Amino acid sequence: MENPNIPHNEVERLEALYRYKLLDTLPEKTYNDIIDIAAHVCNVPISLISLVDNNRCWFKAKRGLDRDEAPRQIAYAAHAINSPSTVMVIEDAFADERFRNSPFVLQDTPTRFYAGIPLVTPDGYAIGTLCVIDNVPRKLDSRQINTLQILAKQIVNQFELRLKMQEVQELNDKLKESYQDLESFSYSVAHDLRSPLKNIDGFLSLLNEEYGSQFDELGKELLQNIQLAYTDMSGVIDSLWKLSTIGSQDLKITTTNLTGICNNTLAANNILDKYEINVQTGMQVPGDADLLKIAIENLVCNAIKYSRPKQNPSISIGQLRQDDQTIFYVKDNGIGFDEAGAKAIFKPFQRLHSAPEFEGMGIGLSIVHKVIEQHGGRIWAESTPNKGATFYFTLEPTLNTI
């Protein structure tokens, strides 16, 4: 038997094969279906997807054959990959000098017919074959050969798709790891700062009780500024803690009354006689009541804060149906923002307005985004400067209601 040549680009060819991470993987229906079609079209009992490794020919899919691989030096596919653009057809191995002494020809059930279509990667490397085999001599017509070539291209397309999915999964894993690291860091910062911050609060209280009466007006003002700074920092730490823990919580799905949350938040801010308020009744949704309360409170408080400078501030909260989906909204007639910043506002510490104008640290909407994401929904904003803003969100929790 004539030994197969080693391709001149063998090193690169093997690298192309290995990047797909296919060798020694479990059978997959997609490839089994393709070889079934190949066998049916060519009316043969055996069909294979062969991948030519360094010293073996391994079968990713097989039909009509028991073994999983064959030595490369006697495999037909090892010959076929040397001519990537050619269909290798052996009509009768007994009559072919290259293969008449092959172990496959001399075995009890000899391989008499072989046709192999090279599997060629997008960068031009033949890494294996789609082949059909029979124990008797035969010929293939042009229609059969054309079908095999089409199937071979589909196999490579599946290889590429599989590779892209692996790359996406690896990227998702890295992003998830980075996200978890960020959550851990935020939690650690919030946890480690709580104790010294409580000490500062205690010292401030003690200082005010023991020596407050001895301070002049400037001293009292400085003490008040320190207390305000403590309150701001405490708020930041609480927000960081919420942001770091929301993603790790298991959702406890119940029927949540969004209308009630909105009305309670509006009432707690003492604005009912100062704002024009319109809250739709009957807004109920399955979700985690505690997390949704945090999200809705942030959205409503933002609407209150940014519409406060208007002469006739108004807030409208409700739901609508669009494309068979329920969309909730919180709308105000406040100062609004340029829509170029609409995506940035959901990132931590991103503010579209200066701190002296409006209080806050730019974490609230990040928390809202995370809660909505936890519920399988999405959130987006529409706004025009000085004409208000509307925040839309959907909720699609996948867990069963308890």
Side-chain angles (χ1 to χ4, degrees):
M1 176 185 175
E2 181 180 310
N3 290 327
N5 294 325
I6 302 298
H8 69 280
N9 57 2
E10 178 68 359
V11 173
E12 295 80 5
R13 190 194 71 80
L14 288 174
E15 288 178 353
L17 170 63
Y18 296 152
R19 75 178 176 223
Y20 289 113
K21 299 178 182 178
L22 282 161
L23 294 172
D24 300 308
T25 56
L26 294 173
E28 298 178 49
K29 186 177 186 301
T30 297
Y31 305 114
N32 291 338
D33 289 345
I34 290 176
I35 62 171
D36 284 346
I37 294 172
H40 176 74
V41 168
C42 298
N43 193 28
V44 298
I46 302 171
S47 55
L48 306 168
I49 294 176
S50 305
L51 299 176
V52 182
D53 196 0
N54 181 46
N55 56 10
R56 62 173 176 159
C57 183
W58 181 77
F59 308 139
K60 173 57 184 171
K62 60 181 182 177
R63 183 180 191 271
L65 200 66
D66 291 333
R67 67 176 68 95
D68 294 324
E69 60 183 54
R72 178 172 176 173
Q73 63 268 26
I74 64 172
Y76 293 106
H79 292 266
I81 63 172
N82 284 296
S83 300
S85 60
T86 304
V87 179
M88 177 176 165
V89 179
I90 305 168
E91 295 180 353
D92 186 357
F94 278 168
D96 193 309
E97 294 183 357
R98 296 171 298 172
F99 303 106
R100 63 175 55 178
N101 295 322
S102 166
F104 297 128
V105 175
L106 299 176
Q107 64 188 359
D108 293 339
T109 305
T111 298
R112 298 289 297 273
F113 168 80
Y114 174 90
I117 316 295
L119 302 176
V120 183
T121 66
D123 43 2
Y125 298 108
I127 60 174
T129 63
L130 165 65
C131 60
V132 289
I133 299 171
D134 204 346
N135 306 120
V136 296
R138 66 168 56 249
K139 297 176 182 288
L140 294 181
D141 59 32
S142 59
R143 178 186 62 85
Q144 292 169 317
I145 291 176
N146 184 58
T147 301
L148 291 177
Q149 290 174 321
I150 292 173
L151 292 175
K153 290 179 180 178
Q154 289 304 311
I155 291 171
V156 175
N157 288 340
Q158 288 297 320
F159 288 172
E160 284 290 308
L161 178 61
R162 189 177 189 275
L163 178 62
K164 296 301 181 185
M165 291 176 65
Q166 289 174 345
E167 292 174 350
V168 169
Q169 183 60 51
E170 290 174 0
L171 179 60
N172 284 339
D173 290 342
K174 290 180 180 178
L175 288 173
K176 184 177 180 180
E177 183 178 349
S178 298
Y179 192 68
Q180 289 173 339
D181 289 343
L182 180 60
E183 284 187 335
S184 297
F185 174 74
S186 298
Y187 181 83
S188 296
V189 169
H191 181 271
D192 293 344
L193 287 180
R194 281 178 180 272
S195 180
L197 200 62
K198 286 183 179 180
N199 290 337
I200 292 174
D201 184 43
F203 289 136
L204 282 172
S205 297
L206 183 62
L207 183 64
N208 190 41
E209 290 176 5
E210 297 293 333
Y211 302 99
S213 59
Q214 302 178 31
F215 290 156
D216 57 16
E217 291 304 316
L218 178 60
K220 292 179 179 179
E221 182 180 349
L222 292 174
L223 187 62
Q224 185 178 17
N225 287 337
I226 295 174
Q227 184 65 50
L228 289 173
Y230 159 79
T231 301
D232 288 343
M233 180 58 71
S234 182
V236 171
I237 291 174
D238 287 342
S239 296
L240 280 175
W241 181 81
K242 288 179 182 177
L243 189 62
S244 66
T245 56
I246 285 173
S248 60
Q249 294 183 29
D250 293 329
L251 296 184
K252 299 177 181 178
I253 306 299
T254 60
T255 299
T256 303
N257 183 356
L258 297 189
T259 298
I261 295 175
C262 294
N263 286 330
N264 291 339
T265 304
L266 292 166
N269 281 271
N270 298 316
I271 64 162
L272 298 180
D273 59 340
K274 304 172 185 176
Y275 285 62
E276 181 183 340
I277 303 295
N278 181 16
V279 179
Q280 186 171 330
T281 61
M283 291 189 293
Q284 306 258 351
V285 67
D288 187 301
D290 292 335
L291 292 182
L292 288 178
K293 184 173 183 290
I294 293 172
I296 300 302
E297 285 178 347
N298 272 286
L299 288 175
V300 174
C301 287
N302 263 14
I304 295 172
K305 176 168 61 176
Y306 291 112
S307 58
R308 188 183 301 138
K310 304 294 284 190
Q311 185 174 359
N312 298 301
S314 68
I315 296 173
S316 179
I317 304 170
Q319 65 184 27
L320 53 88
R321 292 290 293 177
Q322 188 177 87
D323 298 328
D324 294 327
Q325 187 177 43
T326 300
I327 300 175
F328 301 92
Y329 63 86
V330 177
K331 181 179 181 180
D332 65 68
N333 68 338
I335 63 169
F337 52 84
D338 189 328
E339 286 204 22
K343 292 184 178 180
I345 59 176
F346 296 110
K347 298 178 180 179
F349 303 107
Q350 296 295 316
R351 292 176 53 86
L352 301 182
H353 307 287
S354 63
E357 291 180 287
F358 298 96
E359 71 277 7
M361 295 294 175
I363 302 178
L365 288 177
S366 300
I367 294 174
V368 174
H369 182 270
K370 203 167 183 181
V371 170
I372 300 302
E373 192 177 60
Q374 280 284 91
H375 284 75
R378 63 189 184 97
I379 183 169
W380 67 100
E382 295 178 359
S383 180
T384 302
N386 298 315
K387 293 185 178 180
T390 304
F391 285 84
Y392 298 94
F393 64 93
T394 62
L395 297 169
E396 297 180 10
T398 57
L399 300 179
N400 293 327
T401 300
I402 59 173

